[in-house]
């Protein structure tokens, strides 16, 4: 194993919540409303049990070969060369995921807060912190997530509670103003984007403590993160309505700007944005960590720390070129990213489980013969 750090089950669950929330805290309302229309809130809540089922599928995939990370499972099930090819595809997915999430952070900071700061400066600072966290090891990342998760959840609840006086139930009507195609796409978005993108957690499972309730905690963690996203979508529709939810790229930031209690408690949108930055930091960090550990696994390195600097520099460079503008991500990347997520986060894991079951039955028949 290239990584010798150990995660407790609580830390692993918290990291799962962070990955599920991640950049979705800012862009999820706009994305699911664009796919689902008026029923975005309903699809978001239906996606909670679907997402929990997907996380259960991931843990079952990991249990096929305990002690192996995702790339080791590929080789065990598919063989060396097909497993290696599939591992290369996931390596590309991990580094592109980290870079794209960092790019969204850079676009947000330079368009909403630091308007006159070059985006490269923001991305460089972001990746310095990511690199430092990965260099200090998995245990450091896990303990940091324990400290910072309360900040994220408290800010989320403050946002929802402070906006309750501005809600309008009529904004949720009509309930059936969508066709079957919108409903099906909305359902896919409701669990593939938040929970499906938590597939790098399979790279962490071999380095976590083996406890009897690990599956239960991870499934509940995925459900909790997805529940917070569903609440965010609902409050966005109740306050801003469908049109503004669809066209506000950073929806939760716009919602935070609307908080005004007695002309005293207001202008806290930067505090709200900090919770999103924290969750996105952990998501981007785990994606890059999965890339580094996966690279070490693929090439048989006994240690992975020496890969941190070149990987961080590569991800930083890629984040500068992965998207020329914010509108490029919204109009071109997000629609096709859903298909990429469906392929890598749903279809391939299901196929691997099916192949494993077939091989197990064939071995059993040969043993009986």
């Amino acid at each position: 194993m290239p990584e010798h750090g150990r995660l407790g089950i609580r830390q692993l669950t918290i990291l799962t919540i962070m990955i599920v929330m991640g950049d979705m805290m800012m862009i999820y309302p706009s994305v699911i409303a664009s796919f689902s229309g008026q029923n975005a809130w309903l699809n978001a809540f239906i996606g909670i049990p679907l997402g929990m089922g997907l996380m259960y599928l991931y843990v079952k995939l990991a249990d096929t070969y305990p002690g192996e990370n995702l790339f080791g499972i590929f080789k065990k099930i598919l063989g060396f060369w097909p497993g290696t090819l599939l591992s290369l595809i996931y390596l590309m997915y991990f580094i592109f995921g980290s870079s794209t999430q960092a790019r969204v952070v850079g676009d947000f900071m330079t368009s909403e807060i630091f308007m006159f700061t070059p985006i490269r400066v923001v991305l460089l600072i972001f990746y310095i912190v990511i690199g430092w966290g990965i260099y200090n090891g998995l245990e450091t990342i896990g303990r940091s997530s324990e400290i910072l998760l309360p900040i994220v959840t408290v800010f989320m609840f403050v946002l929802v509670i402070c906006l309750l006086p501005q809600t309008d139930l009529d904004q949720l009507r009509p309930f059936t103003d969508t066709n079957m195609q919108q409903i099906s796409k909305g359902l896919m978005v409701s669990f593939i984007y938040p929970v499906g993108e938590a597939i790098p957690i399979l790279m962490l499972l071999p380095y976590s403590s083996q406890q009897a309730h690990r599956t239960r905690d991870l499934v509940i963690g995925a459900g909790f993160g997805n529940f917070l996203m569903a609440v965010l979508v609902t409050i966005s529709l109740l306050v801003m309505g469908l049109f503004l939810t669809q066209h506000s790229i950073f929806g939760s930031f716009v919602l935070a700007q609307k908080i005004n209690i007695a002309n005293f408690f207001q202008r806290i949108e930067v505090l709200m944005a900090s919770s999103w930055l924290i969750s996105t930091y952990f998501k981007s960090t785990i994606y890059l960590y999965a890339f580094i550990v996966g690279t070490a696994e693929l090439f048989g390195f006994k240690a992975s720390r020496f890969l941190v600097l070149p990987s961080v520099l590569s991800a930083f460079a890629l984040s500068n070129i992965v998207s020329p503008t914010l509108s490029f991500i919204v109009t071109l990347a997000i629609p096709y990213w859903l298909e990429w997520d469906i392929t890598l986060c749903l279809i391939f894991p299901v196929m691997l489980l099916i192949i494993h079951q077939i091989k197990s039955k064939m071995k059993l028949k040969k043993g009986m013969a």
Side-chain angles (χ1 to χ4, degrees):
M1 293 285 183
E3 169 66 55
H4 301 287
R6 279 287 169 184
L7 283 176
I9 187 62
R10 181 174 61 185
Q11 296 170 341
L12 187 65
T13 304
I14 290 173
L15 286 175
T16 301
I17 296 172
M18 288 291 197
I19 297 174
V20 170
M21 296 171 71
D23 55 336
M24 294 292 110
M25 284 187 66
M26 192 64 72
I27 65 174
Y28 185 62
S30 174
V31 171
I32 193 170
S34 299
F35 281 98
S36 303
Q38 192 67 41
N39 285 343
W41 66 276
L42 186 59
N43 284 343
F45 278 103
I46 295 175
I48 296 173
L50 296 177
M52 295 173 73
L54 184 60
M55 180 54 66
Y56 180 79
L57 183 146
Y58 288 164
V59 179
K60 283 301 177 184
L61 179 61
D63 288 341
T64 57
Y65 292 97
E68 296 286 349
N69 60 27
L70 186 61
F71 290 3
I73 293 172
F74 290 162
K75 293 179 181 179
K76 293 287 186 180
I77 295 178
L78 300 177
F80 181 79
W81 288 113
T84 300
L85 178 61
L86 191 59
S87 298
L88 289 172
I89 295 174
Y90 275 85
L91 276 182
M92 183 176 65
Y93 175 72
F94 290 151
I95 194 168
F96 265 94
S98 177
S99 302
T100 304
Q101 291 146 23
R103 178 63 190 220
V104 173
V105 170
D107 284 330
F108 167 74
M109 296 295 289
T110 54
S111 63
E112 301 290 346
I113 300 177
F114 301 132
M115 274 83 74
F116 301 103
T117 302
I119 191 171
R120 287 180 175 84
V121 174
V122 176
L123 293 173
L124 180 61
I125 294 173
F126 193 66
Y127 267 112
I128 287 174
V129 181
I130 288 176
W132 182 246
I134 295 175
Y135 183 80
N136 282 280
L138 192 56
E139 290 184 34
T140 302
I141 297 172
R143 290 171 182 172
S144 300
S145 67
E146 286 185 286
I147 297 172
L148 295 173
L149 179 66
I151 298 176
V152 176
T153 53
V154 167
F155 282 174
M156 274 287 298
F157 283 114
V158 168
L159 176 69
V160 173
I161 293 172
C162 291
L163 287 173
L164 286 178
Q166 302 183 39
T167 58
D168 181 7
L169 291 176
D170 290 335
Q171 299 277 23
L172 299 182
R173 300 175 183 173
F175 297 111
T176 58
D177 192 27
T178 48
N179 54 43
M180 287 304 299
Q181 183 178 6
Q182 286 179 304
I183 292 174
S184 60
K185 285 185 177 181
L187 286 176
M188 295 300 293
V189 171
S190 68
F191 72 98
I192 287 293
Y193 267 145
V195 181
E197 292 189 353
I199 197 169
I201 209 73
L202 295 181
M203 301 296 291
L204 310 184
L205 286 179
Y207 319 122
S208 64
S209 57
Q210 297 288 338
Q211 296 186 17
H213 51 86
R214 185 180 70 176
T215 301
R216 181 200 66 188
D217 289 354
L218 290 179
V219 170
I220 292 175
F224 177 72
N226 213 358
F227 171 75
L228 292 180
M229 295 299 96
V231 171
L232 184 61
V233 172
T234 304
I235 200 71
S236 179
L237 287 171
L238 286 170
V239 174
M240 297 195 299
L242 177 61
F243 182 81
L244 289 179
T245 299
Q246 287 177 327
H247 294 85
S248 299
I249 300 172
F250 304 118
S252 59
F253 186 77
V254 176
L255 284 173
Q257 289 177 321
K258 293 180 176 292
I259 294 176
N260 185 357
I261 299 178
N263 290 324
F264 173 74
F265 191 69
Q266 57 183 337
R267 305 300 299 174
I268 62 168
E269 58 268 14
V270 175
L271 295 177
M272 296 296 112
S274 65
S275 63
W276 171 68
L277 293 174
I278 291 170
S279 61
T280 306
Y281 163 77
F282 280 102
K283 186 173 182 178
S284 185
T285 298
I286 295 303
Y287 264 75
L288 189 59
Y289 175 85
F291 172 81
I292 293 171
V293 174
T295 301
E297 174 83 16
L298 196 62
F299 293 97
F301 299 138
K302 294 182 178 179
S304 59
R305 180 170 286 186
F306 74 96
L307 294 172
V308 173
L309 181 58
S311 298
V312 168
L313 292 176
S314 299
F316 167 69
L318 189 59
S319 65
N320 282 280
I321 62 176
V322 71
S323 169
T325 61
L326 179 60
S327 60
F328 176 87
I329 294 179
V330 175
T331 58
L332 292 179
I334 288 179
Y336 294 104
W337 200 281
L338 176 62
E339 298 176 3
W340 199 11
D341 278 349
I342 291 173
T343 303
L344 297 184
C345 303
L346 180 62
I347 296 176
F348 282 174
V350 170
M351 289 178 59
L352 286 168
L353 277 174
I354 293 173
I355 294 172
H356 173 72
Q357 292 295 328
I358 293 173
K359 291 177 67 176
S360 298
K361 290 182 179 179
M362 291 176 64
K363 288 182 180 178
L364 184 61
K365 289 181 179 180
K366 287 182 179 180
M368 294 176 64

